[in-house]
Amino acid sequence: MTRLATPAPWRLRRTNTGAKWVDAASSRYSLAHTGDPMPPAAPILARTTLTCITRAFATLESQRRPAMRRSFLPRGPILRAALGPLCAVALALGLPVTGARAAEPIRIGEMNSYKAQPAFLAPYRKGMELAVDQINAAGGIGGRPLELIIRDDGGNPGDAIRVAEELITREKVDVLAGTFLSHVGLAVAGFADKRKVFFLAAEPLTDKITWSDGNRYTFRLRPSTYMQVAMLMPAAVEKKAKRWAIVYPNYEYGQSAAATFKEKLKAAQPDVEFVAEQATPLGKLDAGPVVQALADARPDAVFNVLFGPDLAKFVREMNAREALKDTFFVSLLSGEPEYLDPLKGEAPVGWVVTGYPWYDIPTPAHQAFLDAYQKAYGEPPRLGSIVGYTAITSLAAGLKKAGSTDPEKLVAAFEGLDVVGPFGPFQYRASDHQATMGAFVGPIGLKDGMGVMLDPVYVDGLSVLPSDDEVKKLRPAAR
Amino acid sequence: MALDALVFQAVNGLASASGLFLVAAGLSIIFGVTRIVNMAHGSFYMFGLYIAVTVADRLPSPFDFWGGVLVAVALTALIGALVELVLLRRIYRAPELYQLLATFALMLVMNDAALWLWGPEDQLGPRAAGLTGTVELLGRRLPDYDIFLALAGPAVLLGLNRLLTRSRFGRLIRAATQDREMVAALGVNEAVLFTAVFALGAGIAGLGGALQMPREPASLTLDLAVLGDAFVVVVIGGMGSIRGAYVAAVIVAQVKALCIALGTVELGGLAFNMSKLTLVAEFLVMALVLVVRPHGLFGRPAPATRIHASAVEAPLVPLGPGGRGAALAAIALFAAMPLIGDSFAYAPVLAQDVLIAVLFAASLHFIMGPGGMASFGHAAYFGLGAYGAAYAFLTLGVSTPAALVLGPAIAGLGAVVFGWFSVRLEGVYFAMLTLAFAQIVWSIVFQWEEVTGGSNGLFGVWPEGVLESPTGFYLASFALVLAGVLVLRRLAFSPFGHALRAARDSALRAQASGIDIARVRWLAFIIAGTLCGLAGTLFAFAKGSISPEAISVGRSIDALVMVLLGGVQSLLGPLFGASAFTLLQDTVMRETAYWRALLGALMIAVVLLFPGGIAGGLSDIAARLRRAAGRP
Amino acid sequence: MIAPVLQVEQLAKSYGGVRALDGVSFDIRPGELLALIGPNGAGKSTCFNIVNGQLRPDAGTVRILGRDATGLPPRAIARLGVGRTFQIAAVFGSMTVVENVQIAWLAAHRTVFAFWNPLANRHRAEALELLEQTGMAELADRPAASLAYGDVKRLELAVALAGNPKLLLMDEPTAGMSTAERGALIALVKALTTERGLAVLFTEHSMDVVFGHADRVIVLARGRLIADGSVDAVRADPKVREVYLGSGLASGERR
């Protein structure tokens, strides 16, 4: 056992012994020996054996309960209260704590807009921590445990760059990961390129991060805006609707989704007519007038890009006005529990959406994840949980393949890296550094008074991505 | 576009207008009587909606909705009264705008309280029992609730009017709106009146939030989203005029509904999507109204409020030997930062951010302190500088030093234009016009994909040449920021700086002495804008990118908070405030998940302990120490 | 005959149909202390504010030192050589006493747009001399905000004189002062008038001050000028007595 307690992400100060640090937020002690350059040999041997035995479990997504959950809210106080002082005393007396000096952890600097996007990122964080627990319980990577150092990126690029600097200079992290907001992700990607640091952009959707602004050191996990739109195209084309309307939040995500949708639909169905286009201010949708304006255009079908509170307002207003009742909808992300659940019984039945039907994915990989997650947290996962979990799984796979934390080796390892996540196997493409992890598509229905995706189909990311040759033209900036 | 569609949208607009009016009315009443710019107003609205949803979920239909609304109004009013009693009451004597700092801190605390109480997920409440149907109008269906809401606004307007004109309480409020001193002199218990008014305002905000229950989910972003709207409506209508607030709400809602109804229009072969204008429509209206009518539609020039004697700023005094020594030590520390950096690698990174914040805050302080012009849109010049430099650097391919000149120049140019209009306005109207201009700049930057990179911004703005190394760039920023701060200090002591103070202390006296107030203020505004642009330029190069957030309301508020936190009445205030704010934020962001609440609590502590900001507190302590040591 | 410093001709001003001023004409010569009196609502403030530029007349002209100043803004009036004090004395509270005079001096000499050398080093001697004349020299380095009201009035006078004006407009110069202070202040003004050849137009409620110190008095009633003459002539004027007795001259005298 390497550590008696898992690493605490929010911590106050580190004592200068280098052997102990105190997590003030939860008053937990951790005994990761971060300052020791040469770990003793014997424990390494032991650990390697352990690693061999447990590796199988790790790749199959271990079902073991994580040793301890990490959250800002202290859990299991008695255990901690007992263990903490005990270890502190042991340390003070200079007693060897088994395995405490075993191996220097691999430090993952994770930064995200926890404060700005709590609904998505609280589950994301749980997903990450679950994965770290499982990997460490299985012996870590090459005998080294993973250590997560989590930071709030402030929800803006200015703070995010400072946080990235802090993670690199002060925390000496080996890789950067995270970000949710596209502009923050892009800024950190640019920083990673400049400082030649490996960066796994977990959540941002913007196409730019892998294409027009793509760079050598940045990889992206979640299916991009382009991919998500492309996943909806078959349903949209199949409907053979002539008159389409589009409603989207007025910023890059909405704009590029709308543009991609129009381009693709026009190509598949040249006689299509776009009869209305509403670009609404993010978070400040004036739902009544917008729904009415769309209805007045009498579309046969609508492409929706709204999400979050805007989506709820939009759907409410449709119901209240009995407007657009028989109109066909395709909608981005609306099947993600983060956005679907708050609608409760008012979920828009019949909309074809991309999302995450955690209740209806009967693969062993996903079942294993689902069981572990529910066991650990007592609640169902959200899409954020999948992204967080898979991000860590990806990093672990990449680190293992690279056999090093050197950024250049990591980049080489990630290009063409095969990963098995809860959604099954996928690959980080060498051509554009985009993961081919897919998403689920299906119509919304009601079950027990809650919105669900009916008969969800998993769409492999690779099937909706442009070919490697096309992608090369899209990546002028990448060397 | 069919006429009946436009008419129907106008009816829709009336429901939205009521929503806007309800938020604005409470703000207007609170400002009118207490002169508090209540930044936490949106929080009361948000709490109103959360409380209503929570209560409604626990009540059986048909009492769910209406019970929720009632409890929400009562509880928000109660919270409002508590806030006034516990927090605001202690700081009425602080310099103007310190209440802004306190209420801003309160907003941070309340937001985290909502997160703690209700969790991160949006919560959609039930629809209003008895009002879930629709009526047919012009071949379209209009929800009953929209009709109810469209009537609720005017009903509250009439109710408030009655309250203000017929009751003793109302007459006192009106009297206090016109002349606070007079009411106090008449022996009215001001304290009770203020508590009541604050509770009333908060309760109306809570009502506004609760009444949105059938239309939108309770979410944690509501407070800020609503705050901007409320200010806009109050200012367009004229501060303190309830009737004006309603008219303004109708105008704003109608303009938006029209933009949405028009959709994509063809103009001379160019297709333009009018719905995109809803991003900034209210601010366009506000700027237009303020340029034509400097006190809003129904506002009257504010009576000259006498500043409390304790709030008058002390004359400028050059630093004594101790102060000079401390300043030199601070300069030496910053200059030596790259050397320290070897052992504390993060220190120079943080110092870089502190430097930029210092120039940002000091430039605002120049117009806000000596100039008495509190800009709520200072981030506009920060952003103009940053974007100007980034665009010149990336697209025009100029060198880094040239971009460092071009950025501030473009910001200065922006200040020339916006300043010309703004400096003619007083007090809150000045603040709001600067805010409107900042929002207009923001929305242009946000949408002009080809030039500004749209909502993502511009990337790859890394300095080149000698400035490429972090140390090189740090030292260059340090030299530029130091020069900027010294220039501002020098200006403050110069005749120009005193003319600026003169215009602030007594505009009448200054004019009677032949000082051209508008020109003095305009020039100060341009200087502040240019130096703020320099801060923005440095920011773009330090971060390698620039995004629209740099121009957002939040960024402008950051600058205000830094100045107030440091102490608006001292030239050193912004330096302390910017450093403390940056360091605090950096630290608390790592400490706890509830870092916003912690930041807010710390700010409240500063306001309560040192009503003159950090600089004021330090000089108090210094004075006390001197007295204790028996020196004069 | 010496040319008048201020010539007012046929001034008229209405507010929503009510004539506040109706054909008012008068003038002031150098060295003259002219009191403008009248019962409440007679149009004193309107007349005064038209002369100082805060209001624009509907008709009539204001000439200052022979130049047409009708409708000019206060700052332009100031630049013609007009100094001014306010009913509620206005000084720059965040500056020291001497700085108040220095900035006024610089403003009058159109040199406030100077950005480098500190104000402290500029024309301090001249400012101190003015403070000397108004009896404020000892308080030169005190913050203006800390002064007693009587001293604020004196400081304001020094500030108003910093531009070396030819005409001084004083709105109720002794309002809010004790009887002793009033006498001292008006005596000071009188002395300065003589010494500098200054013309002073002042409004005043205190009849003691008016009849004790003014060289000449003009009386307004319901927007019209009803008397213009020496103190004795005005005091004896039956029209004035009627106006004041009707509206409380006696109380005015006792105040």
Side-chain angles (χ1 to χ4, degrees):
Chain A
M1 188 170 155
T2 310
R3 35 181 75 227
L4 296 169
T6 47
W10 308 94
R11 58 195 217 202
L12 229 193
R13 59 188 168 269
R14 172 190 284 165
T15 58
N16 54 10
T17 64
K20 182 189 84 170
W21 44 265
V22 184
D23 166 28
S26 61
S27 55
R28 257 180 291 167
Y29 293 86
S30 171
L31 297 169
H33 193 104
T34 51
D36 195 341
M38 282 294 287
I44 283 233
L45 274 174
R47 296 188 54 79
T48 316
T49 323
L50 192 70
T51 311
C52 290
I53 299 167
T54 52
R55 186 161 291 166
F57 288 96
T59 41
L60 285 173
E61 308 310 334
S62 164
Q63 293 175 30
R64 281 196 290 170
R65 190 180 186 279
M68 191 175 289
R69 287 175 300 181
R70 269 148 304 190
S71 163
F72 347 113
L73 303 171
R75 291 200 179 95
I78 297 168
L79 182 69
R80 226 171 15 252
L83 277 182
L86 215 68
C87 299
V89 169
L91 261 184
L93 294 176
L95 298 176
V97 180
T98 320
R101 307 170 65 82
E104 194 179 335
I106 296 172
R107 295 162 70 80
I108 299 169
E110 204 281 343
M111 44 196 294
N112 232 315
S113 309
Y114 290 101
K115 204 79 223 180
Q117 303 288 334
F120 204 97
L121 291 172
Y124 165 88
R125 185 182 173 128
K126 288 176 180 168
M128 276 197 311
E129 288 170 345
L130 177 62
V132 168
D133 283 339
Q134 289 181 346
I135 288 161
N136 286 348
I141 308 297
R144 294 171 69 184
L146 292 182
E147 185 183 352
L148 264 182
I149 292 130
I150 295 180
R151 293 284 184 269
D152 196 315
D153 66 18
N156 69 78
D159 286 344
I161 296 300
R162 187 183 69 235
V163 167
E165 292 260 23
E166 191 252 352
L167 285 170
I168 290 173
T169 54
R170 184 152 74 186
E171 297 295 343
K172 309 252 184 295
V173 299
D174 298 303
V175 297
L176 287 176
T179 73
F180 180 91
L181 303 163
S182 288
H183 61 306
V184 176
L186 282 164
V188 175
F191 171 81
D193 187 38
K194 177 78 182 168
R195 298 289 299 267
K196 303 197 186 334
V197 183
F198 182 88
F199 172 48
L200 177 61
E203 307 249 25
L205 289 170
T206 180
D207 300 333
K208 292 180 177 181
I209 209 164
T210 45
W211 293 350
S212 64
D213 287 58
N215 66 56
R216 173 174 165 76
Y217 296 90
T218 303
F219 291 77
R220 190 248 307 275
L221 169 60
R222 200 172 164 200
S224 65
T225 309
Y226 176 92
M227 292 162 74
Q228 308 247 9
V229 174
M231 287 175 196
L232 286 174
M233 290 320 295
V237 173
E238 189 190 31
K239 194 74 189 172
K240 293 202 170 53
K242 283 260 166 14
R243 296 168 63 82
W244 278 85
I246 303 179
V247 56
Y248 60 92
N250 189 9
Y251 72 109
E252 194 260 351
Y253 163 63
Q255 290 154 1
S256 74
T260 305
F261 183 82
K262 279 163 82 174
E263 192 188 309
K264 285 195 162 290
L265 195 61
K266 200 102 197 165
Q269 190 187 326
D271 65 340
V272 69
E273 191 188 347
F274 292 98
V275 293
E277 212 174 295
Q278 288 288 333
T280 67
L282 178 63
K284 292 179 76 178
L285 171 73
D286 221 345
V290 167
V291 167
Q292 197 58 53
L294 290 178
D296 282 348
R298 292 191 221 331
D300 304 324
V302 177
F303 175 54
N304 168 60
V305 197
L306 301 177
F307 62 94
D310 285 341
L311 176 68
K313 276 158 96 171
F314 186 84
V315 169
R316 245 301 151 81
E317 204 65 40
M318 274 177 59
N319 292 338
R321 287 173 187 263
E322 299 164 40
L324 298 166
K325 253 197 308 192
D326 306 315
T327 315
F328 174 69
F329 270 78
V330 290
S331 182
L332 274 189
L333 312 186
S334 312
E336 295 177 2
E338 285 88 337
Y339 306 132
L340 193 54
D341 287 358
L343 299 175
K344 296 184 220 164
E346 287 175 62
V349 171
W351 287 24
V352 177
V353 297
T354 63
Y356 170 43
W358 57 270
Y359 33 80
D360 198 5
I361 307 176
T363 64
H366 183 262
Q367 197 57 47
F369 164 78
L370 183 61
D371 292 344
Y373 191 89
Q374 288 193 310
K375 199 169 169 193
Y377 302 110
E379 63 182 34
R382 310 286 203 273
L383 181 69
S385 320
I386 289 284
V387 179
Y389 186 88
T390 315
I392 296 299
T393 312
S394 302
L395 284 173
L399 287 161
K400 203 181 297 173
K401 182 176 167 194
S404 159
T405 56
D406 176 66
E408 306 299 334
K409 288 184 182 154
L410 263 176
V411 168
F414 257 80
E415 293 191 335
L417 176 72
D418 289 306
V419 183
V420 180
F423 286 0
F426 65 91
Q427 192 186 61
Y428 283 88
R429 299 210 303 180
S431 59
D432 60 359
H433 292 192
Q434 170 67 45
T436 63
M437 182 174 87
F440 291 82
V441 175
I444 292 179
L446 281 179
K447 199 173 153 194
D448 306 328
M450 289 294 283
V452 290
M453 288 174 71
L454 299 173
D455 310 319
V457 175
Y458 179 71
V459 182
D460 189 330
L462 189 60
S463 69
V464 290
L465 274 167
S467 71
D468 288 352
D469 284 343
E470 283 173 72
V471 152
K472 262 190 198 117
K473 284 176 243 153
L474 296 172
R475 275 170 72 89
R479 289 175 294 258
Chain B
M1 175 62 39
L3 185 66
D4 56 344
L6 282 179
V7 172
F8 191 81
Q9 288 289 25
V11 177
N12 273 331
L14 285 180
S16 308
S18 280
L20 278 175
F21 166 69
L22 288 176
V23 210
L27 188 70
S28 189
I29 291 175
I30 291 176
F31 177 84
V33 176
T34 65
R35 296 276 165 231
I36 287 180
V37 178
N38 181 18
M39 302 295 287
H41 199 71
S43 311
F44 289 107
Y45 177 94
M46 183 175 79
F47 265 59
L49 183 47
Y50 267 113
I51 293 169
V53 171
T54 311
V55 174
D57 273 350
R58 283 158 182 73
L59 287 178
S61 184
F63 304 107
D64 51 354
F65 172 81
W66 302 102
V69 170
L70 280 180
V71 175
V73 172
L75 276 184
T76 45
L78 188 70
I79 299 171
L82 277 178
V83 163
E84 202 278 338
L85 283 170
V86 175
L87 176 61
L88 298 176
R89 174 153 301 181
R90 295 164 200 277
I91 50 172
Y92 284 124
R93 297 196 158 210
E96 233 181 320
L97 284 176
Y98 266 82
Q99 296 87 358
L100 181 150
L101 184 61
T103 52
F104 174 71
L106 184 66
M107 183 181 91
L108 296 179
V109 173
M110 284 178 79
N111 190 283
D112 264 359
L115 173 64
W116 184 73
L117 283 167
W118 289 290
E121 285 204 359
D122 300 343
Q123 304 202 1
L124 194 58
R127 292 171 63 183
L131 292 175
T132 51
T134 58
V135 294
E136 181 141 344
L137 179 72
L138 299 167
R140 296 168 176 79
R141 297 201 157 271
L142 187 67
D144 293 345
Y145 193 75
D146 278 42
I147 299 172
F148 166 75
L149 209 53
L151 296 175
V156 171
L157 173 64
L158 288 178
L160 280 176
N161 246 335
R162 246 189 119 72
L163 178 76
L164 290 180
T165 50
R166 300 289 168 82
S167 71
R168 178 180 144 76
F169 175 62
R171 278 197 294 275
L172 286 179
I173 290 183
R174 283 195 306 157
T177 308
Q178 256 127 53
D179 190 345
R180 253 205 302 188
E181 284 80 7
M182 184 57 97
V183 173
L186 287 174
V188 174
N189 189 340
E190 227 187 14
V192 175
L193 182 68
F194 278 25
T195 311
V197 162
F198 208 84
L200 176 67
I204 297 174
L207 174 68
L211 286 181
Q212 290 301 313
M213 179 160 42
R215 287 158 61 95
E216 66 178 309
S219 74
L220 294 168
T221 52
L222 275 177
D223 49 357
L224 256 185
V226 155
L227 184 67
D229 287 349
F231 272 120
V232 166
V233 167
V234 168
V235 166
I236 292 176
M239 299 291 299
S241 165
I242 314 276
R243 180 176 47 138
Y246 184 71
V247 173
V250 170
I251 292 174
V252 167
Q254 293 300 348
V255 167
K256 283 193 178 185
L258 186 67
C259 289
I260 291 167
L262 289 177
T264 308
V265 292
E266 300 262 340
L267 250 178
L270 275 172
F272 184 73
N273 190 343
M274 293 290 284
S275 71
K276 291 191 171 185
L277 270 182
T278 50
L279 196 64
V280 70
E282 65 267 47
F283 291 99
L284 287 173
V285 174
M286 178 162 85
L288 203 68
V289 166
L290 285 185
V291 166
V292 180
R293 289 186 66 94
H295 299 99
L297 292 176
F298 292 85
R300 261 166 285 157
T305 39
R306 264 161 282 170
I307 304 170
H308 210 272
S310 67
V312 174
E313 195 174 321
L316 281 179
V317 195
L319 285 179
R324 230 171 291 160
L328 284 176
I331 291 171
L333 177 72
F334 272 94
M337 207 55 88
L339 302 176
I340 301 171
D342 283 345
S343 29
F344 299 96
Y346 182 49
V349 175
L350 202 52
Q352 174 83 56
D353 274 19
V354 168
L355 286 175
I356 291 167
V358 159
L359 190 55
F360 186 32
S363 62
L364 174 63
H365 177 264
F366 187 61
I367 49 174
M368 191 173 157
M373 301 179 281
S375 168
F376 279 29
H378 203 51
Y381 311 98
F382 191 85
L384 281 174
Y387 271 100
Y391 183 77
F393 180 74
L394 294 174
T395 310
L396 309 180
V398 306
S399 69
T400 308
L404 281 173
V405 175
L406 273 173
I410 286 166
L413 221 61
V416 167
V417 177
F418 297 142
W420 194 84
F421 293 101
S422 305
V423 297
R424 272 142 238 277
L425 272 54
E426 299 283 336
V428 174
Y429 295 99
F430 169 86
M432 286 298 143
L433 187 57
T434 51
L435 173 67
F437 284 137
Q439 282 300 93
I440 289 166
V441 172
W442 172 83
S443 73
I444 291 171
V445 163
F446 197 81
Q447 314 229 22
W448 198 4
E449 183 80 31
E450 303 80 50
V451 172
T452 62
S455 59
N456 284 331
L458 297 171
F459 302 95
V461 198
W462 299 106
E464 286 175 350
V466 278
L467 301 177
E468 189 176 356
S469 79
T471 304
F473 185 71
Y474 173 81
L475 289 176
S477 331
F478 170 65
L480 287 170
V481 170
L482 182 65
V485 168
L486 288 178
V487 162
L488 288 173
R489 191 172 170 84
R490 188 90 200 184
L491 281 173
F493 280 91
S494 75
F496 176 71
H498 280 83
L500 194 58
R501 290 163 79 90
R504 173 200 64 188
D505 285 357
S506 170
L508 279 178
R509 176 74 262 162
Q511 278 169 331
S513 292
I515 295 174
D516 187 343
I517 289 186
R519 255 180 78 193
V520 168
R521 286 181 172 167
W522 188 29
L523 186 58
F525 196 92
I526 295 167
I527 293 168
T530 308
L531 285 173
C532 181
L534 177 60
T537 304
L538 293 174
F539 179 82
F541 278 112
K543 305 293 181 185
S545 65
I546 184 70
S547 76
E549 251 130 9
I551 314 178
S552 65
V553 185
R555 191 81 190 134
S556 290
I557 293 177
D558 280 354
L560 278 170
V561 166
M562 288 190 252
V563 169
L564 291 171
L565 192 65
V568 69
Q569 296 194 333
S570 158
L571 289 179
L572 295 174
L575 314 189
F576 288 128
S579 311
F581 185 77
T582 311
L583 295 176
L584 260 184
Q585 197 181 350
D586 179 69
T587 315
V588 297
M589 263 170 68
R590 271 194 302 277
E591 291 303 300
T592 161
Y594 291 93
W595 61 263
R596 273 206 285 236
L598 185 60
L599 190 64
L602 288 168
M603 274 162 30
I604 289 175
V606 169
V607 173
L608 291 179
L609 290 174
F610 311 121
I614 298 172
L618 286 178
S619 71
D620 280 358
I621 292 170
R624 225 170 287 166
L625 286 178
R626 269 198 299 276
R627 238 173 289 139
R631 278 180 287 149
Chain C
M1 181 166 164
I2 320 158
V5 179
L6 171 70
Q7 278 174 292
V8 170
E9 271 163 33
Q10 295 299 322
L11 279 192
K13 177 88 185 169
S14 309
Y15 296 105
V18 180
R19 302 214 112 184
L21 267 195
D22 190 3
V24 171
S25 304
F26 62 90
D27 56 19
I28 315 179
R29 283 160 208 287
E32 194 175 30
L33 197 58
L34 174 66
L36 169 63
I37 64 167
N40 283 333
K44 284 191 316 265
S45 299
T46 306
C47 180
F48 198 77
N49 283 335
I50 287 174
V51 174
N52 68 34
Q54 266 173 269
L55 285 177
R56 187 182 272 274
D58 298 338
T61 55
V62 177
R63 299 180 75 80
I64 293 169
L65 293 169
R67 304 246 285 276
D68 186 2
T70 320
L72 289 182
R75 187 174 49 82
I77 302 267
R79 296 222 161 138
L80 290 175
V82 178
R84 215 185 133 183
T85 67
F86 294 86
Q87 186 178 350
I88 299 169
V91 294
F92 307 129
S94 74
M95 300 182 204
T96 63
V97 167
V98 68
E99 282 170 350
N100 264 275
V101 184
Q102 283 173 289
I103 191 68
W105 202 96
L106 286 172
H109 292 76
R110 305 196 177 196
T111 42
V112 295
F113 285 93
F115 305 97
W116 201 245
N117 285 326
L119 177 79
N121 310 336
R122 300 204 182 208
H123 307 290
R124 191 178 155 91
E126 290 92 329
L128 285 174
E129 200 188 311
L130 266 172
L131 290 174
E132 192 73 53
Q133 288 177 23
T134 53
M136 290 289 292
E138 277 172 30
L139 303 175
D141 290 312
R142 286 268 299 276
S146 69
L147 298 179
Y149 191 62
D151 290 333
V152 174
K153 285 267 182 187
R154 285 168 181 271
L155 170 57
E156 194 190 27
L157 182 60
V159 167
L161 293 175
N164 196 19
K166 298 284 170 285
L167 171 67
L168 187 59
L169 304 172
M170 305 182 83
D171 196 1
E172 307 232 358
T174 67
M177 300 176 88
S178 69
T179 318
E181 282 177 329
R182 280 180 190 172
L185 182 78
I186 216 72
L188 171 63
V189 173
K190 177 100 183 179
L192 289 168
T193 314
T194 324
E195 211 174 287
R196 294 172 161 241
L198 191 63
V200 177
L201 171 69
F202 71 107
T203 63
E204 187 54 68
H205 263 109
S206 162
M207 293 304 145
D208 292 347
V209 169
V210 172
F211 292 104
H213 299 276
D215 295 322
R216 192 153 64 92
V217 180
I218 51 178
V219 186
L220 280 178
R222 275 178 238 104
R224 290 174 173 276
L225 195 69
I226 55 163
D228 178 349
S230 70
V231 171
D232 293 335
V234 167
R235 206 200 304 260
D237 193 320
K239 273 188 288 180
V240 176
R241 296 192 73 87
E242 187 199 316
V243 161
Y244 266 89
L245 286 176
S247 60
L249 172 69
S251 72
E253 267 180 326
R254 263 199 308 277
R255 264 175 49 175

